[in-house]
Amino acid sequence: MTIAKRGATYDNMEKVPDTMVAELIDGDLITSLRPASPHARAATALGSDLFGVFDGPPGGAAGKPGGWWILAEPELHLGSDVLVPDLAGWRRDGMPVLPNVAAFTQAPDWACEIVSPSTGAIDRGRKMRIYAREGVHHLWMVDPIIRTLEVYRLEGGRWVVASTHGGHEPVSAEPFEAVALDLARWWLDPPPYPT
């Protein structure tokens, strides 16, 4: 991850090649390469786990909790900052219809950053501060290298660690505690499943 330009604008961001992720944070254009396979695996598996049971109307089909819109890499325009979390979710009671837009101005209720060695400092510093400022209620930090999930809850404008998880344990974590998630699916080399 590099600061490509200070005092940048959205026009600068639009010129970044599609092979990179671009964000505007505190007036800095921050670019990073597309993620490596451990990052991509964690984002894909986690998104699949959540989408399958939570993305749908509340009290969805077959006993699934539903109640959310779950998106991968949405572009968030939060004040003068433009962030691209790995995953984000909006409760349907606060956003009844998912708008047909390229970028969202309504802060999500939940965001997830898949941390990599090159993005960790920004994810855990500047981006966490912006998410708190914008009232994102829950934030997950997933580290696919050390295989951990950190769950944060916003209380009084500050992040509180709600829970931490690691390895291959099943996890019920807020705000998605209605369903146990299989952490082993998120990692690049999960243990073999019984046949």
Side-chain angles (χ1 to χ4, degrees):
M1 179 171 280
T2 61
I3 297 177
K5 181 174 176 58
R6 295 198 184 274
T9 65
Y10 194 77
D11 288 338
N12 300 120
M13 189 174 156
E14 288 181 313
K15 294 175 185 170
V16 174
D18 290 341
T19 57
M20 301 186 83
V21 177
E23 298 176 292
L24 284 175
I25 302 176
D26 302 323
D28 293 335
L29 174 61
I30 298 177
T31 60
S32 57
L33 296 173
R34 282 288 184 202
S37 56
H39 181 123
R41 169 68 187 188
T44 301
L46 172 55
S48 173
D49 288 350
L50 295 178
F51 190 89
V53 293
F54 290 99
D55 190 278
K64 296 177 182 176
W68 289 82
W69 299 106
I70 305 288
L71 296 177
E73 294 189 348
E75 186 172 301
L76 307 176
H77 289 221
L78 306 173
S80 61
D81 298 301
V82 178
L83 305 184
V84 182
D86 292 291
L87 295 160
W90 291 261
R91 291 184 188 273
R92 287 185 182 221
D93 58 1
M95 182 188 280
V97 175
L98 187 67
N100 182 1
V101 295
F104 294 84
T105 56
Q106 180 177 336
D109 296 293
W110 166 81
C112 178
E113 296 290 349
I114 311 294
V115 178
S116 66
S118 63
T119 65
I122 297 288
D123 292 341
R124 293 179 181 282
R126 295 166 85 176
K127 289 178 83 171
M128 280 186 85
R129 177 182 45 78
I130 293 166
Y131 289 137
R133 178 193 77 203
E134 296 297 321
V136 174
H137 301 294
H138 294 89
L139 178 62
W140 287 11
M141 291 284 175
V142 175
D143 189 323
I145 303 302
I146 60 173
R147 298 180 180 156
T148 58
L149 164 63
E150 299 166 22
V151 178
Y152 295 90
R153 177 187 328 116
L154 192 64
E155 291 183 5
R158 295 180 168 255
W159 291 115
V160 173
V161 177
S163 62
T164 58
H165 310 275
H168 299 94
E169 64 186 65
V171 170
S172 295
E174 60 183 74
F176 303 110
E177 62 270 17
V179 172
L181 303 172
D182 183 3
L183 284 185
R185 287 178 23 90
W186 303 0
W187 316 136
L188 186 60
D189 56 349
Y193 286 92
T195 57

